[in-house]
């Protein structure tokens, strides 16, 4: 029993020692002001991300009490991105018919649920059709929901691309009628109806500081290299193509993960963010996992086509926000800059419903370097000139004595 108590005491002391030393394990700190309640929020500024790890796992909120004790405030990192829910809606396929306009497919929705999206699957590939969607409550009076909507399928040895989703405003009808304007009979394999609900997030536009475009005739590709003003979290990109012609170009989006300076200049290592297809049907807006970056490269495969006229590129990222809980009076600091730090594991992550809906914002001070304890460095023995001269004199004396002995022996 005594041994167990001693072990627990030692463990407790080690935990206290580790906690008190934690703040010194980080490189930067910023004072937090405006702490008046138990809960506050803090929006991370753009100039912070260049000094944090890619997964933002090295952020801590430390406080110094009046007794100079170190306390840690728990937080939850919230990415203010779009929240999308997709609810499937049941329906029945009633009939298929043909007129001079094309082929009709009639659907019945037996519930009172509205829908705003249809996903179509056809047995055919390589088509370019226009469709009209109508709604009715009695199959006699039909009202147009979308008209002349384009759907497309391209499949060959190199690529496979389909755009067969029809999106429209929330519509609540008992019957829906789809007209496919085609001379060829569409073989509709499956239809999925759903209600998509989007809660818009909070995003920031990040200006592109400079952009360079180059053509690779060997690979038949266009390469766009972009540098942002700051190292920031990016989760969305929109490529604006100028022109009213049809096009279909696969592309790869990459970012610089690290760099090495060589005799021939900087060498950049890239990681892929996504692969997509620039096309004249959609808006060429793409979302991906939020990634902290500064340099972006877009490689567009032109095949045998002329390069696309790119007007501009819009780069956006969702806001990073901390919801912080304070339990003790102290002077608090946001600390960061420790590549070896792991993501913290706080109890509040299991009780997010307890976080108030409305939180007042904190103010953040200027960035400061955290002073590290100076470790005395012993000078190497031979950096001391007295030792060096003494060693030289000893060597000279030894050589002199050795020479005298040789002369006497002769």
């Amino acid at each position: 029993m005594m041994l167990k108590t001693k072990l627990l005491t030692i463990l407790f002391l080690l935990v206290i020692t580790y906690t008190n030393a934690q703040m010194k394990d980080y490189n930067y700190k910023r004072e937090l002001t405006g702490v008046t309640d138990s809960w506050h929020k803090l929006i991370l500024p753009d100039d912070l991300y260049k000094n944090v790890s890619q997964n933002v796992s090295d952020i801590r909120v430390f406080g110094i009490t009046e007794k100079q004790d170190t306390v840690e405030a728990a937080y939850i990192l919230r990415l203010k991105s779009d929240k999308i829910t997709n609810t499937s809606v049941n329906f029945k396929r009633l009939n298929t018919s043909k007129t001079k306009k094309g082929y009709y497919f009639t659907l019945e929705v037996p519930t009172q649920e509205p829908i705003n999206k249809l996903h179509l699957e056809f047995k055919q590939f390589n088509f370019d059709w226009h469709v009209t969607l109508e709604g009715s409550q009695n199959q006699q009076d039909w009202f147009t929901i979308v008209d002349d909507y384009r759907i497309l399928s391209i499949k060959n040895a190199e690529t496979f691309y389909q755009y067969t989703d029809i999106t429209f405003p929330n519509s609540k009808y008992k019957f829906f009628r789809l007209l496919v304007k085609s001379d060829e009979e569409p073989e509709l394999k499956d239809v999925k109806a759903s209600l998509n609900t989007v809660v818009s997030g909070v995003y920031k536009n990040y200006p592109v500081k400079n952009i360079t475009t180059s053509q690779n005739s060997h690979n038949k590709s266009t390469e766009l290299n972009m540098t942002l003003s700051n190292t920031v979290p990016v989760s969305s990109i929109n490529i604006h193509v100028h022109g009213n012609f049809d096009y279909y170009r696969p592309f790869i989006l990459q970012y610089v993960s690290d760099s090495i300076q060589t005799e021939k200049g900087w060498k950049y290592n890239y990681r892929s963010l996504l692969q997509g297809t620039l096309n004249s049907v959609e808006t060429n807006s793409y979302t991906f996992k939020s990634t902290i970056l500064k340099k972006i490269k877009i490689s567009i495969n032109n095949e045998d086509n002329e390069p696309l006229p790119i007007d501009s590129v819009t780069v956006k990222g969702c806001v990073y926000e901390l919801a912080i809980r304070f339990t003790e009076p102290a002077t608090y600091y946001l600390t960061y800059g420790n590549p070896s730090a792991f993501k913290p594991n706080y109890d509040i992550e299991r009780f997010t419903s307890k976080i108030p809906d409305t939180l007042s914002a904190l103010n953040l001070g200027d960035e400061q370097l955290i002073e590290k304890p100076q470790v005395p460095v012993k000078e190497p023995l031979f950096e001391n000139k007295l030792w060096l001269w003494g060693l030289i004199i000893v060597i000279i004396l030894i050589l002199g004595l050795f020479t005298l002995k040789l002369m006497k022996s002769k």
Side-chain angles (χ1 to χ4, degrees), residues 32-47:
L32 294 171
T33 56
V35 179
T36 56
D37 298 319
S38 297
W39 286 94
H40 286 279
K41 68 179 180 180
L42 175 69
I43 296 175
L44 300 184
D46 293 348
D47 60 352

Side-chain angles (χ1 to χ4, degrees), residues 240-259:
H240 306 280
V241 179
H242 177 73
N244 55 2
F245 54 89
D246 285 332
Y247 57 89
Y248 170 87
R249 309 286 174 88
F251 76 92
I252 298 176
L253 177 65
Q254 298 173 298
Y255 75 101
V256 173
S257 57
D258 56 65
S259 58

Side-chain angles (χ1 to χ4, degrees), residues 358-384:
T358 303
L359 302 177
S360 56
L362 295 174
N363 296 316
L364 197 59
D366 295 332
E367 185 175 83
Q368 305 173 50
L369 280 171
I370 296 177
E371 296 181 0
K372 307 293 184 183
Q374 296 294 326
V375 179
V377 179
K378 293 182 180 180
E379 285 187 352
L381 182 63
F382 297 117
E383 279 191 5
N384 190 313

Side-chain angles (χ1 to χ4, degrees), residues 339-398:
S340 61
F342 292 99
K343 180 180 180 296
N345 185 10
Y346 299 122
D347 288 338
I348 59 174
E349 293 183 4
R350 299 168 180 84
F351 305 97
T352 54
S353 60
K354 302 288 186 179
I355 301 176
D357 295 331
T358 303
L359 302 177
S360 56
L362 295 174
N363 296 316
L364 197 59
D366 295 332
E367 185 175 83
Q368 305 173 50
L369 280 171
I370 296 177
E371 296 181 0
K372 307 293 184 183
Q374 296 294 326
V375 179
V377 179
K378 293 182 180 180
E379 285 187 352
L381 182 63
F382 297 117
E383 279 191 5
N384 190 313
K385 292 183 179 180
L386 292 177
W387 279 103
L388 187 61
W389 281 108
L391 181 62
I392 292 173
I393 291 170
V394 170
I395 292 172
I396 292 171
L397 289 174
I398 293 172

Side-chain angles (χ1 to χ4, degrees), residues 23-275:
M23 194 167 179
K24 297 177 183 178
D25 295 335
Y26 296 81
N27 294 322
Y28 305 96
K29 67 178 181 179
R30 295 189 180 197
E31 186 175 354
L32 294 171
T33 56
V35 179
T36 56
D37 298 319
S38 297
W39 286 94
H40 286 279
K41 68 179 180 180
L42 175 69
I43 296 175
L44 300 184
D46 293 348
D47 60 352
L48 172 140
Y49 296 103
K50 65 180 182 293
N51 292 322
V52 298
S53 60
Q54 178 60 245
N55 60 358
V56 202
S57 61
D58 57 338
I59 286 182
R60 299 292 186 275
V61 179
F62 291 121
I64 307 297
T65 67
E66 290 184 355
K67 296 181 179 180
Q68 298 302 304
D69 294 327
T70 301
V71 294
E72 183 173 350
Y75 72 86
I76 291 180
L77 175 63
R78 303 194 288 197
L79 275 62
K80 310 295 283 186
S81 57
D82 291 345
K83 305 300 180 186
I84 303 174
T85 56
N86 190 313
T87 305
S88 298
V89 177
N90 296 323
F91 66 94
K92 296 178 182 178
R93 286 179 60 178
L94 295 182
N95 53 55
T96 303
S97 58
K98 180 183 183 301
T99 67
K100 292 180 180 180
K101 294 181 178 180
Y103 293 84
Y104 284 91
F105 301 90
T106 305
L107 315 172
E108 180 184 3
V109 179
T111 66
Q112 297 297 316
E113 299 292 334
I115 64 173
N116 57 17
K117 182 178 180 180
L118 287 179
H119 173 72
L120 310 176
E121 293 184 14
F122 297 93
K123 291 184 179 179
Q124 298 105 314
F125 299 105
N126 297 312
F127 57 78
D128 187 357
W129 296 330
H130 288 77
V131 301
T132 297
L133 181 65
E134 300 171 310
S136 175
Q137 299 293 358
N138 53 20
Q139 295 197 76
Q140 295 180 4
D141 301 316
W142 291 95
F143 303 93
T144 301
I145 300 172
V146 292
D147 189 26
D148 208 31
Y149 193 100
R150 189 180 181 187
I151 58 175
L152 180 69
S153 171
I154 300 174
K155 185 177 183 180
N156 52 45
E158 297 180 353
T159 58
F160 178 42
Y161 170 77
Q162 285 200 123
Y163 181 69
T164 56
D165 289 343
I166 305 176
T167 57
F168 45 90
N170 289 6
S171 299
K172 194 173 182 180
Y173 292 100
K174 186 175 182 180
F175 302 97
F176 290 87
R177 186 168 68 177
L178 179 68
L179 167 62
V180 181
K181 301 172 184 178
S182 169
D183 295 330
E184 174 192 4
E185 181 178 0
E187 298 182 59
L188 186 59
K189 184 171 63 175
D190 193 17
V191 183
K192 291 183 174 66
S194 62
L195 174 65
N196 281 16
T197 305
V198 179
V199 178
S200 298
V202 181
Y203 289 84
K204 297 178 70 174
N205 284 322
Y206 296 119
V208 178
K209 187 177 180 180
N210 59 63
I211 180 169
T212 60
T213 304
S214 59
Q215 308 297 334
N216 189 322
S217 57
H218 178 71
N219 293 330
K220 299 179 180 180
S221 64
T222 299
E223 187 174 288
L224 282 75
N225 285 280
M226 294 168 288
T227 303
L228 305 181
S229 299
N230 295 300
T231 300
V232 288
V234 173
S235 56
S236 173
I237 191 167
N238 196 327
I239 304 171
H240 306 280
V241 179
H242 177 73
N244 55 2
F245 54 89
D246 285 332
Y247 57 89
Y248 170 87
R249 309 286 174 88
F251 76 92
I252 298 176
L253 177 65
Q254 298 173 298
Y255 75 101
V256 173
S257 57
D258 56 65
S259 58
I260 302 173
Q261 189 172 17
T262 65
E263 294 179 356
K264 298 180 179 180
W266 286 95
K267 181 181 178 182
Y268 297 109
N269 295 321
Y270 290 88
R271 288 186 182 177
S272 294
L273 281 173
L274 68 87
Q275 296 185 14

